[in-house]
Amino acid sequence: MSKPLILVVEDDPSVRNLIVTTLKANEYSFIAAGSGEEGASQAATHNPDIILLDLGLPDIDGVEVIKQVRGWAITPIIVISARSDDSDKIAALDAGADDYLTKPFSVEELLARLRATQRRLAYMNSASSSSVFENGGLKIDYAAGCVYLDGEELHLTSIEYKLLCLLAQNVGKVLTHKFITGNVWGTSWDNDIASLRVFMATLRKKLESADSERQYIQTHIGVGYRMVRL
Amino acid sequence: MESVKDEKRDMPLNGEHVLVCLSSAPSNARIIRTAADMAKAYGARFTALFVETQNLEKASPENKSRLQANMELATELGAEIETVFGDDIAYQIARFSEAAGITKLVIGRSTFTKNRLLRKSNLVESLLAYAPEVEIHIIPDRSADIRYVPKRSHGGWREILENFAISFAILGGATAICYLFQWLGFADANMIMVYILGVLVTSVATLSIAFSMISSLAGVLLFNFLFIAPKFSLAANGTGYPMTFLIMFLTAFLSGLLAQRYKQQANVSHKIARRLRLLFDTNKLLFAQTDRDKIISLTAEQLIKLFKSDVLIFDGDMNAAYFPENPSATAIYDVDLEKKRAEMAMSGVTSKYEDDEAKFFYLPLRVNDKLYGAVGIDGAGLSAFDRDTFSSVALECALALDNEYNRREKEQATIVASNEQLRANILRSISHDLRTPLTSISGNAANLLENGEKFDAETRKQLLSDILSDSDWLINLTENLLASTRMEDGKLGLRLADELIDDIVDTAVGYCKKRANGHFITLKSCDKLMFVSVDAKLIVQVIVNLIDNAVKYTPEGSHITVSIEDALENVRVSVMDDGGGISEEDKPHIFDKFFSGASKLSDSRRSLGLGLYLCKAIIEAHGGEIRLKDNAPHGSIFEFELKKKEITINE
């Protein structure tokens, strides 16, 4: 698989330089933009595979850029935020971002996110029409409504199954609490979010009891959950 | 209303001062309006005076409410209301006029034709005699009810009958004593003294001067009829007797009159003294109070004592506090209506009292331009004296609230100032501590940039790893500083959410595992799913700090165990290490700000002493507790407990 084209939208020159140098060193091809408007137009002309987007831009808010891009493309967007507040990450995810990185981040972390997104892209291209989902030792047979872990059938409650399918369909993407409760319960009261935490905890226990080093579902405290593409 | 007041305030006062007398007469309203017009025309100060007499207590409710309406009208027209006490209306008006510098006096004809029993001279004549320098304007009554006579309430008839009975009894007693004197052979003069004494007693025991007069007359007649020859006839054998009778009558009547005056005076001064004492008490009690709620409840208590009425107090945010006279009674009032009424009072309107349904009569709690709410008592049957007392209590209450407010503001300012001081201290010490890693980072980077090629690979790697570790230290510090700023707001800064303790501990351990080389970190979870209501980021920071601390103070290869336990109502999280432990002398200071056992650190790793201090602050802000214990056989255990949260789950 050829290395994807990455668009970097970041106004701070030294952080942009850091990202660009990292990409160069790892043989990614890239384009860089220093403002939101420029980023949006670059995205339109070059049609990149992945967008790395800083939320605090001088001209328009990062969330605005996401909304513009989402108007015509499903390009994965990884948001970079220096704000420690969860609410702007949630706003970006709800607007259509796929993942987020909080400053200060390490070079390895950046590369890991890129690799995960690439895997997800590859999966989306190959298996989009498949009725079976496979990820590591996990296998979901949508048609039969069965879940297998390392070849053995897992017994899940109907809500656990619904949650697992939702995560699987959006593998690699961080799903916010609101998004999940809205999809599974149809509402998003505080009480539903507490319930969600309990169901996720039991689901994770069932998935990870066999092998504690392998983590299928990541918890993002205050934000949501993500199924990791193994 | 406000505009009228402002106008009054702004007006250049030219020394003119208009006085109008208030009464319960229906025509009084017209007189007040005329006086107000006059005050406006002259640009004069405007005062409305009510002379409260003994009769007010006997006035019918109808009259009382009319008097109230007249007072409110006067207030609305910009008059200052004053009340004086005394039965000689003209004398009181004159005294007040003199004291207040009244130049123009407006009275109505009804006031002036009010020709009561035994009041011989009319009001105008008396006024002219008492205060010749005041201009008197008399407003004629055109309405039919010129002969307005203040109605007595029905309770009056019983009183009159009672008084008659008392007078008869005393007179009878005096006569009986006189018979005794006659039998003993005492002189006539003694009998005269007995009758005079009887009249004196009657004056004190009865309400009206009329009884004294009747008694005096009856005494003279009885004495003449029963004891003076010829007996049982009103004729007297002796030339001196008519004179004796006249002097006896005058002596009896005058002494009766004086006794009555004295009694009234005593009554009034008793009333005034009682009010003064209560106001003084109120003042003293309120002055000692530093708590807002206490001030309000104390005011209510005093008002209940004074007026035997329920009390409703609205604070500045219009929250009602109800104080019933009878503590077991339930509140019966329409809150919205009362609120509207109280708001009206606060904006300065105190009239239109009888046409709305509100139960209470309100006065604003105002000091200068600052409003602290409104206080209401049962408005029915308030005399001018009561209103005066009420407004004094309201003012005392407002002053106390104002004091309390100012004190609180001052305290707030002191807290802000000391917070500023603390912040400045922290900033200074942090900036100082930042210099070292920044020097290392910028120095090493500059070295590499300038002389990179000259160093061998080994040296280059060393310089680069120094840069990395110093910047990691700075990153960690930044997280703690961010958490500190959140903690400065105390509990208010917390963003509480119901979280699974497993998720929180998991996140923290995951974060530390990535950075801990050479230490073994294990997580011992609990099977039970437990919720805590916490600010997740801050609790993660606590666990990260505790693990970091364990990593920092234990040799490589040490084991760090993080465990979650169910502790009845609480969740206990502990971070255990098997390092060297903490010395006894350091233990008491371990959670202090800027304390660090730096002297005992094996290498150059720095510590700002913020981490554990912050852990304690965060856990305490969550209502939890953090402790340090010894691990066996060696090492330390840091553990904290947070209250469990019960959650109902939707399937």
Side-chain angles (χ1 to χ4, degrees), chain B residues 12-27:
Chain B
L13 297 178
N14 51 12
E16 294 285 353
H17 194 163
V18 174
L19 181 77
V20 67
C21 292
L22 294 169
S23 77
S24 61
S27 57

Side-chain angles (χ1 to χ4, degrees), chain B residues 273-339:
Chain B
R274 182 168 169 272
R275 178 176 103 155
L276 276 176
R277 205 187 60 236
L278 269 163
L279 285 178
F280 180 66
D281 283 354
T282 313
N283 175 294
K284 215 166 56 181
L285 285 168
L286 288 177
F287 185 75
Q289 282 313 318
T290 51
D291 181 69
R292 222 175 114 266
D293 293 342
K294 277 268 176 58
I295 291 171
I296 285 180
S297 65
L298 245 168
T299 305
E301 230 171 78
Q302 292 298 104
L303 287 174
I304 289 172
K305 237 188 262 172
L306 275 165
F307 299 109
K308 309 263 175 286
S309 150
D310 296 350
V311 177
L312 191 63
I313 300 180
F314 286 91
D315 66 11
D317 305 321
M318 296 317 283
N319 297 316
Y322 179 69
F323 302 92
E325 185 203 347
N326 176 0
S328 57
T330 45
I332 311 166
Y333 60 92
D334 182 338
V335 179
D336 292 334
L337 214 67
E338 298 297 336
K339 200 168 164 179

Side-chain angles (χ1 to χ4, degrees), chain B residues 116-312:
Chain B
R116 277 202 247 113
L117 206 53
L118 290 181
R119 184 137 301 153
K120 286 168 203 122
S121 57
N122 74 33
L123 187 61
V124 179
E125 279 170 20
S126 318
L127 275 173
L128 284 170
Y130 284 135
E133 67 280 10
V134 178
E135 223 176 274
I136 301 180
H137 299 254
I138 302 162
I139 312 300
D141 253 321
R142 268 167 300 167
S143 52
D145 59 355
I146 290 179
R147 304 290 301 169
Y148 160 76
V149 178
K151 265 196 269 172
R152 281 169 182 274
S153 62
H154 296 295
W157 286 111
R158 250 194 71 204
E159 259 170 28
I160 289 171
L161 284 176
E162 257 176 40
N163 284 339
F164 261 117
I166 293 170
S167 309
F168 271 121
I170 293 171
L171 221 52
T175 307
I177 294 170
C178 286
Y179 267 116
L180 181 71
F181 282 8
Q182 196 181 33
W183 184 69
L184 289 171
F186 288 180
D188 291 353
N190 291 318
M191 298 180 197
I192 294 175
M193 294 311 278
V194 170
Y195 275 109
I196 292 174
L197 182 68
V199 173
L200 252 169
V201 173
T202 308
S203 309
V204 174
T206 57
L207 291 170
S208 171
I209 193 77
F211 293 104
S212 309
M213 199 183 78
I214 293 169
S215 290
S216 313
L217 201 63
V220 171
L221 292 177
L222 272 173
F223 176 63
N224 182 4
F225 193 69
L226 295 175
F227 299 105
I228 302 299
K231 288 188 182 171
F232 307 109
S233 119
L234 288 178
N237 298 340
T239 43
Y241 276 118
M243 208 53 210
T244 310
F245 294 151
L246 183 65
I247 290 171
M248 179 183 167
F249 170 73
L250 283 177
T251 313
F253 179 60
L254 283 176
S255 55
L257 201 68
L258 284 173
Q260 185 104 19
R261 276 270 164 83
Y262 171 74
K263 194 181 80 179
Q264 286 173 4
Q265 216 58 50
N267 261 346
V268 169
S269 26
H270 174 72
K271 236 169 126 183
I272 292 174
R274 182 168 169 272
R275 178 176 103 155
L276 276 176
R277 205 187 60 236
L278 269 163
L279 285 178
F280 180 66
D281 283 354
T282 313
N283 175 294
K284 215 166 56 181
L285 285 168
L286 288 177
F287 185 75
Q289 282 313 318
T290 51
D291 181 69
R292 222 175 114 266
D293 293 342
K294 277 268 176 58
I295 291 171
I296 285 180
S297 65
L298 245 168
T299 305
E301 230 171 78
Q302 292 298 104
L303 287 174
I304 289 172
K305 237 188 262 172
L306 275 165
F307 299 109
K308 309 263 175 286
S309 150
D310 296 350
V311 177
L312 191 63

Side-chain angles (χ1 to χ4, degrees), chain B residues 491-597:
Chain B
K491 218 172 160 63
L492 297 174
L494 299 180
R495 279 172 226 158
L496 298 179
D498 300 332
E499 305 277 355
L500 270 175
I501 191 73
D502 286 78
D503 284 348
I504 293 174
V505 178
D506 235 28
T507 306
V509 171
Y511 176 77
C512 292
K513 262 187 182 172
K514 268 192 266 176
R515 309 189 308 165
N517 340 319
H519 285 78
F520 302 99
I521 303 177
T522 44
L523 169 62
K524 266 204 247 165
S525 198
C526 175
D527 282 338
K528 210 166 153 198
L529 290 175
M530 291 177 289
F531 275 98
V532 281
S533 180
V534 295
D535 188 319
K537 283 216 160 150
L538 293 179
I539 301 296
V540 167
Q541 191 64 30
V542 168
I543 303 169
V544 167
N545 280 349
L546 292 179
I547 299 176
D548 267 2
N549 211 53
V551 168
K552 203 183 294 173
Y553 289 94
T554 57
E556 265 186 36
S558 301
H559 295 81
I560 298 164
T561 312
V562 184
S563 69
I564 305 168
E565 286 159 280
D566 183 358
L568 300 172
E569 299 210 316
N570 292 340
V571 174
R572 185 186 306 129
V573 177
S574 17
V575 177
M576 288 170 265
D577 66 62
D578 56 359
I582 292 159
S583 71
E584 286 301 324
E585 70 212 55
D586 281 354
K587 270 181 188 168
H589 310 290
I590 201 83
F591 292 111
D592 290 354
K593 206 170 200 167
F594 303 124
F595 175 83
S596 70

